[in-house]
């Protein structure tokens, strides 16, 4: 298979969702860089919903008659700032009407990728994770990049967790291409319980084969397709894949995982590893699904 960028239609945009949260502009800047590197257009969106409130009967309704006008002004201001920093980038805006989670999943059908902050303006201070980010990552038809933590430098390492699953393979391909575009080191990490020297499916992986050799097998022909890419491989023996990847991503610029690995149940659309990373990762997270 050729690189992922060649598989994306040139008209498919990088879509970023913005709101009044502190992370909105950071997400927009992150999305602009992704679009520029991949030579794709950038679509900046805002999902508008009329606020629900019940004012005292002595006050006129609605007390604020212009929430949509303010939302449109916010969207225009974000676009203007991004255009100022990326003058060559093809940038457009779109106001969406409806629930952010539902609207973004619908947008994912024609997007190259979705970018959003890990918690929007509707989040509560006590919540580590935004429901929009979780729902979108679980149901999106394209890769979802959740911006959180430290962004790092443009060449900060790209970390990808692999386990041999179909979702893991998609994540691996996305990580290879992203590392190539950024000129960054790619770290490929497999996490297996400490008592094992090979994964649990013995019919696929004979017990006498060391875990490091199996990891190299999982890379397949990808190393040959990216001969100029610096690739580090590592087997981490840990009882929890999420905890291991969180530790390994301390200095990463992006951590990439599949939507659900070998341990996932068919009814669960986003695995525990993806959820944990979106909630706690020290850097942006990409969840890749087909």
């Amino acid at each position: 298979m050729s690189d992922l960028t060649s598989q994306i239609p040139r008209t498919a945009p990088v879509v970023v969702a913005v709101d009044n949260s502190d992370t909105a502009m950071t997400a927009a800047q992150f999305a602009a860089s992704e679009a520029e590197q991949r030579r794709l257009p950038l679509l900046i969106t805002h999902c508008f919903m009329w606020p629900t409130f019940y004012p005292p009967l002595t006050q006129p309704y609605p007390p604020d008659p212009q929430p949509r006008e303010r939302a449109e002004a916010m969207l225009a201001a974000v676009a203007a700032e991004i255009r100022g920093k990326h003058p060559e980038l093809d940038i457009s805006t779109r106001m969406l009407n409806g629930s952010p989670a539902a609207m973004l999943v619908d947008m994912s059908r024609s997007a190259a990728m979705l970018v959003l902050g890990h918690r929007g303006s509707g989040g509560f201070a006590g919540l580590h994770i935004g429901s929009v980010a979780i729902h979108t990552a679980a149901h999106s038809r394209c890769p979802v990049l959740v911006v959180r933590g430290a962004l790092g430098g443009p060449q900060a390492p790209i970390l990808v967790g692999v386990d041999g699953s179909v979702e893991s393979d998609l994540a691996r391909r996305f990580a290879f291409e992203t590392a190539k575009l950024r000129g960054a080191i790619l770290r490929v990490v497999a996490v297996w319980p400490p008592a094992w020297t090979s994964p649990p499916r013995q019919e696929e992986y004979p017990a006498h084969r060391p875990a490091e050799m199996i990891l190299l097998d999982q890379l397949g022909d990808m190393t040959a397709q990216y001969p100029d890419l610096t690739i580090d491989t590592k087997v981490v023996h840990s009882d929890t894949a999420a905890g291991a990847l969180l530790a390994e991503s301390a200095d990463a610029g992006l951590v990439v995982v599949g939507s659900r690995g070998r341990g996932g149940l068919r009814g669960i659309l986003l695995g525990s590893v993806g959820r944990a990373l979106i909630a706690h990762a020290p850097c942006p997270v990409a969840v890749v699904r087909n």
Side-chain angles (χ1 to χ4, degrees):
M1 179 178 179
S2 58
D3 63 68
L4 290 182
T5 299
S6 66
Q7 307 301 310
I8 299 173
R10 303 279 17 122
T11 56
V14 172
V15 177
V16 59
V18 299
D19 56 16
N20 291 316
S21 67
D22 294 337
T23 61
M25 184 57 71
T26 302
Q29 295 284 9
F30 191 92
S33 296
E34 289 294 322
E36 207 162 53
Q37 289 171 350
R38 299 170 191 275
R39 299 181 181 179
L40 296 171
L42 175 66
L43 175 57
I44 306 174
T45 67
H46 174 70
C47 300
F48 178 80
M49 294 181 66
W50 285 99
T52 301
F53 46 78
Y54 300 93
L57 295 178
T58 57
Q59 294 185 8
Y61 184 87
D64 179 6
Q66 298 179 323
R68 185 175 181 88
E69 287 80 355
R70 285 207 312 277
E72 290 172 344
M74 178 274 297
L75 184 59
V78 172
E81 182 163 343
I82 298 300
R83 286 192 181 99
K85 296 181 178 180
H86 300 269
E88 302 300 320
L89 188 58
D90 179 4
I91 300 173
S92 59
T93 62
R94 185 179 302 173
M95 182 75 76
L96 304 174
N97 298 298
S99 163
M103 292 296 99
L104 291 174
V105 170
D106 186 60
M107 291 288 290
S108 74
R109 299 176 184 276
S110 58
M113 68 179 64
L114 295 178
V115 180
L116 63 159
H118 76 288
R119 188 173 65 235
S121 57
F124 294 96
L127 295 179
H128 290 292
I129 188 166
S131 60
V132 173
I134 282 291
H135 182 91
T136 305
H139 297 276
S140 174
R141 301 294 296 272
C142 68
V144 175
L145 276 66
V146 181
V147 179
R148 58 163 295 116
L151 299 187
Q155 294 182 320
I158 304 298
L159 174 70
V160 58
V162 300
D163 63 6
S165 65
V166 174
E167 289 83 358
S168 168
D169 182 64
L170 295 171
R172 174 172 54 87
R173 293 180 182 278
F174 181 88
F176 265 83
E177 182 63 15
T178 301
K180 173 189 172 184
L181 291 171
R182 295 189 184 187
I185 294 173
L186 176 64
R187 294 178 181 167
V188 184
V189 175
V191 184
W192 292 327
W196 294 345
T197 56
S198 62
R201 296 192 178 186
Q202 299 299 323
E203 71 277 11
E204 297 179 19
Y205 304 111
H208 69 273
R209 300 205 61 207
E212 288 78 8
M213 291 182 63
I214 296 169
L215 174 56
L216 292 177
D217 286 348
Q218 291 182 3
L219 294 181
D221 60 352
M222 295 295 292
T223 53
Q225 294 181 31
Y226 297 85
D228 299 326
L229 194 60
T230 300
I231 304 170
D232 292 336
T233 60
K234 185 176 183 179
V235 173
V236 178
H237 295 288
S238 172
D239 288 323
T240 63
L245 291 177
L246 285 170
E248 292 293 325
S249 62
D251 64 339
L254 180 71
V255 56
V256 185
V257 291
S259 60
R260 188 178 65 247
R262 285 190 182 276
L265 301 176
R266 294 183 64 87
I268 300 176
L269 294 178
L270 184 62
S272 60
V273 174
R275 287 175 174 267
L277 288 170
I278 293 175
H280 302 290
C283 64
V285 177
V287 178
V288 183
R289 57 180 294 115
N290 56 358

